[in-house]
Amino acid sequence: MLQKQKKLLPRVICCYFLAVFIPIVLLSFMIYHYFSDQRIKEYTTDRVTSLLMEQNSLENELDIVQQYSSQLQSDYELRLLLHGIYTSNSKVVRAYNTQIYSLLSNIRLHNPNIRDISIYTENEIAANLLKEFYPLSAQLFFENPDPLLLNGTWLIEYTDGLPSPVFYIGFSNLPMKKYCGILRIAFDTQIFEQYANRFPDSHIYVYLNQCLIFQTEQRKPSTNLHQYIDSSTHLDTPMISLNEKDHNVVSIFSLYNGSFYIMKIAPESETLFSYKPFILSLLFAGFLLIFASIAVFLILFRAMHNIV
């Protein structure tokens, strides 16, 4: 009987490992990876939804420049001035005082983010007399019409050494293709400061044409936009990168067809990246497996005593 038991014992142990122990360990790892992936997916889905709302909010604040340009282009007195209909000092000043000045003032009054409004024109009288008007030759664009000015473009300008976003758009001169004037609306970075104030624990970086124009972190940024995207990349939806090493989440979304990129680095709790809760659960399952194995072996040994 003892010889039969010795022959059966290795087989029983082998069958136990193949049928019980190894499948339970593999199943435990599969469950661990499944719930880990589900947790990351749920987190990124919620974060993308939140970023889309932030993106739409900032996009609406920047898109208002199109509304302002439409208001100015549809103004009758301004059109006459830009087309050179007013050729005397008195007519230019009267048109400015009766309509144009109030229109420009209302735009600045209702949008505190606007730092300056300028209009470039071929009307030399207006350029010499009116403070918001400048000669067309003083603007930055060499071509007329420049295709960038058809729907408007954003550029970086520096004031007292600090960068700020500036919007340019051309005043159409139908049926001629040449622009009769160019509108310039300069913003300060207050629009991004207001956005950053909503996330005091996060570092916010704003890029315009791939150049950094605003940041909440005083020191040199610990990460860079070019680590995640290049000049040929266009983000249709927000991008999220989990940085397990530094325990933070990098979120990036674009504005105005990729002219602006907003990068937010938010610290997250270690539970998002930590494996400790899962390891502890696996260890607990392992201890249960060991005790269960001992019980199984005791039952088998007792049964093997009855083998003749």
Side-chain angles (χ1 to χ4, degrees), residues 68-88:
Y68 294 152
S69 64
S70 298
Q71 290 177 1
L72 291 171
Q73 291 199 52
S74 60
D75 183 75
Y76 178 74
E77 296 291 341
L78 181 59
R79 285 208 314 270
L80 293 178
L81 188 149
L82 294 177
H83 286 88
I85 304 300
Y86 294 145
T87 56
S88 66

Side-chain angles (χ1 to χ4, degrees), residues 39-68:
R39 185 176 59 161
I40 297 298
K41 287 180 181 179
E42 290 177 2
Y43 176 85
T44 53
T45 300
D46 293 341
R47 178 55 67 90
V48 167
T49 302
S50 176
L51 289 174
L52 285 173
M53 296 175 62
E54 298 171 20
Q55 183 183 34
N56 291 335
S57 176
L58 286 173
E59 192 87 51
N60 291 336
E61 292 191 50
L62 293 175
D63 271 342
I64 201 169
V65 294
Q66 295 288 353
Q67 178 182 334
Y68 294 152

